[in-house]
Amino acid sequence: MESKYRQLAEILKNRLEKDIRQGFYKLPTEKELCAQFQVSRQTVRQALQLLSQEGLIARKQGSGSYATGLLPEMSKNHVAILLSSDMEYIFPALLGDLETFLSKEGYSVSVFITHNRTDIERSILQSLTETPLRGLIAEPSRSGLPTPNFDLYEKLSAQGTNIVFFHGYYSNLPPCSYVKDDNYSGGFALGQFLMERRHRQIAGIFQLDTIQGQERHLGFTRSMLESGLPIDEDTVAWFTTEQLVRLEKKQDTRFLSDFIKRNLSSCSAVICHNDEIAYWLIKELSYAGLHVPEDISIASFDNSYLSELSVPGLTSLSHKPHEMAIAAVSLLMKKMQGQNAVSMQLPWSLIERSSVSFWTD
């Protein structure tokens, strides 16, 4: 005959999923469970210990027992990840981090690539509404624009899927949980850094259809204005997802060579949207007979492997290792456990390399 504590553990498991779906995460006290099921405190403690060993609850000294967010039926503990790109720039490290941290929490993972296209995103989201899903970590497609897929995100949420966005969010969705870079402060900091090195004519190139590009541009322009320097829109260029894809797949750098011809004639420094753009811009500058940093200084975002591969090495803004993935998974776990999941903006730190010099003209 099965022991009483195992019988009680099975009863609590069966209640657990229903309670989680309804937003109840705190279990009754040991005293309440003893009275409810007419068992000893030792039986209750053994049953709770079994649930704790299986990762279904966490017992907090002086507070009680709480559901971890995992469901008893392990096949239902599934999280989907939507990434905008599968190119090598930051994809492998970020995906590896997300999968590792989710696996440690007991969740299985499936990965989908939107290629920063809302039509592909819609197809993926439609399929996800047809399968049980505990969580979704999503990188928005064209985050600088309202999403036409708000209805599917809302449907997933209504079905009980916990959603966390990273690298951005959508302006036309109800308040949502997200983790993103502090892009405004980053753009401001790069502008200040270059001006401290006596640069006064500073150009910028940013991605038009992402919130990152828009915020980085805004921070840069505010740093110029607060330093008493005029804004010259002729020194700023924008590129689109389509141009970025052609750069990555076909090494089509025409928008960068156009930027050099049209926007850089009077500038001594450039703030680039990220290391990928900076890396290719340095190559195009060399073809145009311009040298970094002797003729023009370059600063960028992300501190990726390209910042060290580039010649010269790129001065770039950086996050702590694994920080974005840790923050996104942590935020999702809080939502899974019914806790207050406060959105986060991750601060940047500057990594100086040789692509920036003092301007002496």
Side-chain angles (χ1 to χ4, degrees):
M1 182 177 177
E2 190 175 33
S3 60
K4 284 187 177 181
Y5 81 88
R6 290 188 180 276
Q7 291 177 351
L8 178 58
E10 286 302 314
I11 292 171
L12 295 177
K13 279 186 188 180
N14 292 332
R15 289 172 45 171
L16 200 58
E17 179 171 354
K18 181 180 178 182
D19 288 346
I20 289 174
R21 297 291 189 191
Q22 294 179 347
F24 302 119
Y25 294 87
K26 191 177 189 302
L27 276 68
T29 65
E30 290 183 0
K31 183 178 180 180
E32 290 169 338
L33 289 172
C34 289
Q36 185 176 352
F37 294 100
Q38 295 297 297
V39 295
S40 68
R41 177 159 290 193
Q42 179 66 16
T43 297
V44 168
R45 287 178 175 173
Q46 287 179 306
L48 294 177
Q49 181 64 27
L50 188 59
L51 296 185
S52 177
Q53 290 172 351
E54 294 181 13
L56 300 177
I57 66 169
R59 306 180 72 185
K60 301 179 181 180
Q61 186 70 32
S63 179
S65 298
Y66 295 82
T68 62
L70 286 172
L71 300 180
E73 188 177 337
M74 296 309 294
S75 62
K76 294 183 179 180
N77 294 316
H78 189 74
V79 173
I81 299 173
L82 265 64
L83 291 172
S84 67
S85 173
D86 59 357
M87 300 303 290
E88 193 169 319
Y89 176 52
I90 59 173
F91 172 79
L94 177 61
L95 177 59
D97 285 346
L98 289 170
E99 290 181 322
T100 296
F101 300 138
L102 286 168
S103 177
K104 286 181 179 178
E105 296 290 343
Y107 292 90
S108 60
V109 176
S110 56
V111 180
F112 304 88
I113 309 299
T114 66
H115 299 288
N116 210 28
R117 291 176 58 107
T118 56
D119 54 347
I120 296 177
E121 180 190 53
R122 185 166 190 83
S123 177
I124 294 169
L125 292 173
Q126 185 64 60
S127 69
L128 292 178
T129 63
E130 300 167 2
T131 59
L133 196 65
R134 285 289 288 130
L136 172 63
I137 297 180
E139 184 176 22
S141 296
R142 302 181 192 264
S143 58
L145 303 170
T147 179
N149 299 325
F150 64 90
D151 57 324
L152 294 179
Y153 280 111
E154 290 176 344
K155 184 176 181 179
L156 281 166
S157 182
Q159 290 176 343
T161 300
N162 297 277
I163 301 174
V164 168
F165 291 101
F166 71 101
H167 284 161
Y169 55 85
Y170 290 120
S171 61
N172 61 326
L173 277 180
C176 56
S177 297
Y178 64 83
V179 180
K180 61 184 285 293
D181 316 301
D182 189 354
N183 293 300
Y184 175 88
S185 294
F188 192 94
L190 284 184
Q192 291 292 306
F193 173 76
L194 290 172
M195 284 184 282
E196 287 168 2
R197 277 141 187 80
R198 304 194 186 102
H199 295 278
R200 294 296 179 265
Q201 295 290 331
I202 304 172
I205 180 166
F206 305 97
Q207 188 166 354
L208 179 63
D209 50 12
T210 67
I211 195 170
Q212 294 103 315
Q214 296 175 13
E215 291 179 342
R216 291 170 187 182
H217 168 260
L218 181 60
F220 154 56
T221 55
R222 286 306 308 176
S223 71
M224 297 281 285
L225 289 172
E226 291 189 19
S227 296
L229 298 176
I231 299 301
D232 184 356
E233 283 297 327
D234 290 335
T235 63
V236 175
W238 300 89
F239 63 92
T240 64
T241 291
E242 289 74 21
Q243 289 171 312
L244 181 60
V245 169
R246 288 196 295 270
L247 173 67
E248 293 173 336
K249 293 186 175 180
K250 299 181 180 180
Q251 297 186 11
D252 184 347
T253 58
R254 284 176 293 178
F255 73 97
L256 294 175
S257 59
D258 288 344
F259 172 59
I260 293 170
K261 294 174 185 176
R262 297 176 182 176
N263 305 93
L264 294 189
S265 59
S266 62
C267 295
S268 64
V270 181
I271 294 176
C272 293
H273 179 82
N274 60 22
D275 293 342
E276 186 175 25
I277 295 301
Y279 175 83
W280 288 102
L281 180 62
I282 289 174
K283 288 182 176 293
E284 288 301 306
L285 286 167
S286 69
Y287 299 149
L290 297 171
H291 301 93
V292 177
E294 294 85 357
D295 299 314
I296 192 162
S297 290
I298 303 289
S300 62
F301 292 76
D302 288 345
N303 190 37
S304 68
Y305 73 97
L306 289 176
S307 63
E308 296 184 358
L309 184 63
S310 175
V311 179
L314 284 170
T315 292
S316 185
L317 292 179
S318 177
H319 292 308
K320 296 176 183 177
H322 319 296
E323 187 175 20
M324 181 64 70
I326 290 172
V329 172
S330 174
L331 203 58
L332 182 63
M333 292 304 105
K334 287 182 178 180
K335 291 178 72 70
M336 299 276 205
Q337 296 162 12
Q339 300 179 34
N340 187 24
V342 179
S343 296
M344 291 180 276
Q345 292 196 96
L346 304 181
W348 295 100
S349 58
L350 184 70
I351 307 298
E352 290 190 51
R353 297 189 179 89
S354 53
S355 66
V356 173
S357 64
F358 279 86
W359 187 242
T360 57
D361 188 18

